[in-house]
Amino acid sequence: MSSSVSTNPTAGGEEEPVVLTSTKNHARIITLNRVRKLNSLNTEMIELMTPPVLEYAKENVNNVTILTSNSPKALCAGGDVAECAIQIRKGNPGYGADFFDKEYNLNYIISTLPKPYISLMDGITFGGGVGLSVHAPFRVATEKTKLAMPEMDIGFFPDVGTTFFLPRLDDKIGYYVALTGSVLPGLDAYLAGFATHYIKSEKIPLLIKRLAGLQPPEIEGEITVISGNNQYFNQVNDILNEFSEKKLPQDYRFFLSPDDIAVINKAFSQDSIDGVFKYLKEEGSPFAKKTLDTLSKKPRSSLAVAFALLNQGDKNTIREQFELEMVAATNIMSIPAERNDFAKGVIHKLVDKIKDPFFPQWNDPSTVTPEFVKNILSLSKNTDKYLKKPYVKQWFGVDFTQYPHQFGVPTNREVEAYIAGTDGSNRTYLPTPSEVFKHFKIKTGDKLGVEAKIQQILDLHGETAKYDNKYVTWKDEPTK
């Protein structure tokens, strides 16, 4: 095993690597090793990860890159942003701008890699750890997974490119998870779309061994180029499906009911965060009241900026959104400490480690105007000062509005396309609900939880009443 040297001393005083790199047959493995900090991602780790990720993508002898961890508790507990806040207090916003610049570029590289990249989210996967994972074509959750975007509690916004990823989850669930800070266990993360596969933790070593032995398909005696090769990606998917659990636990229930999801969809489809608050208050159900109470404890600056970024991320390409996040992060770093909710939240929670969940020092909500949000999302003298163009480098020259691979459970978009016959089948007749179930069972290879996911989608968006309760139609506006 080859390893990158760090300056993370052990109890005995010797230096311990915080990022390890290793070769196993046809696989290259990146292991996060800042164990005592639950692999909280700092600048050093980002700088150690980026070169091998790029190198592995170009190596002819490497077929797959695997991200894992030496911590029994976490893949990555998030970005280590304490120093960013401390430097804001010292009048040095450039430190945080540099940190996010490097982090977002790494996340963008992962999102556009030409070869399979697999993130093993075996444990806590928060914030920055989500950024290292969700842009990958393959994301594995286990029974140990705890996934969350906790940025609202430190006065920031869901970043690391998740404002591109989250709006593409069904029914505004991504908005809900990010803005409430909900923590999802493995099965919920899987069925919500954060993970593409659910595999028991004990199977991970054997899974890595199996993936390391996989070779690209041969065509006429020559190994094909992996880049853009769907056949090879499908082979990786087949192995992951082979190791995946086959049935949901009998007592398992998704953490949101169809009624909850309907409320979420309508609430977070409002024009502004103020509209979200108003809708939840007027809707009045116990779930709406609980959600409203949770949001009311978050800083309004974070909620407003995050909501605007999520709405923009639904329209932008992934590269455009990473650039927008970088602009927003740099502008936030440049707000003076005495009125900077991010600096206040990080110092309170991560530096002083005060566990009181209430933050009376948040800025008054009345100061969070549309002009404030616009300024955070706009180029400024601060972005000119602390960022170098291009903000996000081209790397592999890839950009997109939809992720090129979909290996998770079926989505609204896929089910709607099948019902409408716009999935490439050229079918001119409507299917029955049983045909919808059968189609996706076959398409996914009887993937874990597909039946439950299809049932959820049809409960929310399917309608049979128009056609003698036999054929299903899509009752909402077409999915964008």
Side-chain angles (χ1 to χ4, degrees):
M1 173 180 287
S2 61
S3 63
S4 304
V5 177
S6 79
T7 55
N8 184 38
T10 63
E14 67 271 20
E15 292 184 347
E16 181 182 71
V18 292
V19 175
L20 305 173
T21 59
S22 62
T23 296
K24 190 175 183 67
N25 293 337
H26 302 288
R28 299 295 181 266
I29 301 170
I30 297 175
T31 304
L32 304 184
N33 194 44
R34 198 182 179 205
V35 176
R36 289 187 298 168
K37 293 289 187 178
L38 297 178
N39 294 327
S40 292
L41 198 64
N42 60 12
T43 303
E44 179 186 16
M45 294 174 72
I46 296 166
E47 290 176 340
L48 291 174
M49 284 185 65
T50 303
V53 170
L54 286 168
E55 176 187 348
Y56 297 160
K58 299 172 183 178
E59 279 186 358
N60 291 332
V61 293
N62 171 49
N63 296 338
V64 63
T65 298
I66 300 171
L67 177 69
T68 187
S69 162
N70 271 344
S71 168
K73 297 180 180 179
L75 173 66
C76 173
D80 191 349
V81 295
E83 189 61 30
C84 298
I86 291 171
Q87 290 297 323
I88 290 173
R89 271 189 168 183
K90 294 180 178 180
N92 179 24
Y95 178 91
D98 179 69
F99 171 79
F100 292 116
D101 182 324
K102 290 173 175 151
E103 184 181 25
Y104 297 175
N105 270 280
L106 173 58
N107 299 143
Y108 177 59
I109 290 169
I110 291 169
S111 74
T112 59
L113 287 173
K115 297 181 182 180
Y117 170 103
I118 302 161
S119 177
L120 302 177
M121 302 185 294
D122 188 27
I124 296 168
T125 306
F126 285 4
V130 176
L132 296 177
S133 304
V134 294
H135 305 297
F138 303 106
R139 293 107 52 192
V140 175
T142 75
E143 75 279 7
K144 291 165 55 180
T145 299
K146 293 180 180 178
L147 185 145
M149 296 299 295
E151 288 80 6
M152 294 299 102
D153 289 336
I154 56 170
F156 203 48
F157 61 86
D159 64 331
V160 293
T162 61
T163 58
F164 179 86
F165 173 85
L166 293 164
R168 285 161 179 76
L169 296 180
D170 289 342
D171 299 309
K172 304 288 183 176
I173 289 176
Y175 283 66
Y176 173 82
V177 170
L179 299 185
T180 63
S182 299
V183 179
L184 274 57
L187 275 174
D188 287 338
Y190 168 68
L191 285 172
F194 287 93
T196 58
H197 298 80
Y198 181 81
I199 298 173
K200 286 293 183 68
S201 181
E202 64 188 21
K203 296 181 180 179
I204 295 296
L206 188 57
L207 171 66
I208 292 174
K209 181 179 180 181
R210 180 70 181 281
L211 288 167
L214 182 63
Q215 297 188 51
E218 292 188 7
I219 298 179
E220 296 182 356
E222 294 184 3
I223 294 188
T224 61
V225 177
I226 297 176
S227 178
N229 183 359
N230 288 331
Q231 185 179 354
Y232 185 68
F233 277 82
N234 288 336
Q235 287 180 347
V236 173
N237 183 52
D238 288 342
I239 289 176
L240 291 168
N241 283 338
E242 178 185 331
F243 279 79
S244 296
E245 292 300 291
K246 306 307 177 188
K247 292 185 178 180
L248 293 172
Q250 192 168 5
D251 60 348
Y252 171 75
R253 297 293 181 273
F254 189 58
F255 76 112
L256 297 167
S257 71
D259 287 343
D260 295 341
I261 297 172
V263 170
I264 288 169
N265 205 352
K266 291 178 182 177
F268 292 100
S269 293
Q270 304 302 308
D271 292 335
S272 67
I273 194 65
D274 290 339
V276 174
F277 274 74
K278 181 180 178 181
Y279 177 86
L280 290 171
K281 185 176 181 179
E282 293 177 351
E283 204 280 341
S285 66
F287 176 76
K289 290 179 180 178
K290 182 180 178 181
T291 303
L292 180 62
D293 181 62
T294 299
L295 295 177
S296 298
K297 295 171 183 175
K298 313 295 182 183
R300 189 60 64 92
S301 60
S302 291
L303 292 170
V305 169
F307 192 77
L309 280 167
L310 289 164
N311 286 342
Q312 194 61 43
D314 194 29
K315 306 169 187 174
N316 279 347
T317 68
I318 191 165
R319 186 167 181 265
E320 288 171 340
Q321 194 62 16
F322 271 116
E323 289 188 333
L324 185 59
E325 285 191 5
M326 199 174 293
V327 167
T330 301
N331 284 330
I332 289 173
M333 295 302 105
S334 303
I335 298 173
E338 63 272 12
R339 52 186 179 86
N340 190 319
D341 278 337
F342 170 75
K344 293 176 183 180
V346 172
I347 296 294
H348 184 106
K349 188 168 185 178
L350 302 181
V351 179
D352 295 340
K353 299 186 185 300
I354 299 173
K355 295 188 177 182
D356 180 359
F358 297 98
F359 289 81
Q361 74 273 32
W362 294 136
N363 291 328
D364 191 291
S366 65
T367 66
V368 184
T369 62
E371 188 69 18
F372 168 83
V373 175
K374 180 180 177 181
N375 288 339
I376 294 295
L377 271 59
S378 300
L379 296 175
S380 68
K381 63 180 181 180
N382 296 311
T383 53
D384 288 340
K385 182 177 181 180
Y386 297 113
L387 296 176
K388 294 181 180 179
K389 294 182 179 179
Y391 302 150
V392 177
K393 299 175 180 62
Q394 287 286 358
W395 301 112
F396 298 101
V398 177
D399 200 8
F400 49 78
T401 55
Q402 295 293 334
Y403 289 101
H405 301 286
Q406 164 57 25
F407 294 110
V409 292
T411 63
N412 284 354
R413 177 190 295 272
E414 291 175 289
V415 174
E416 179 190 354
Y418 175 70
I419 289 174
T422 58
D423 59 344
S425 65
N426 296 318
R427 177 173 38 79
T428 57
Y429 57 88
L430 290 170
T432 64
S434 63
E435 286 173 332
V436 178
F437 281 100
K438 182 179 179 180
H439 170 80
F440 284 99
K441 181 177 181 179
I442 294 172
K443 181 179 179 180
T444 63
D446 202 13
K447 191 176 180 70
L448 174 71
V450 165
E451 184 173 346
K453 176 65 175 180
I454 295 296
Q455 186 64 63
Q456 180 188 93
I457 291 174
L458 293 182
D459 285 346
L460 288 162
H461 304 289
E463 187 172 54
T464 58
K466 291 181 180 179
Y467 296 95
D468 300 324
N469 294 316
K470 184 176 181 181
Y471 301 102
V472 64
T473 61
W474 192 265
K475 68 180 179 182
D476 300 317
E477 292 292 323
T479 303
K480 293 183 291 183

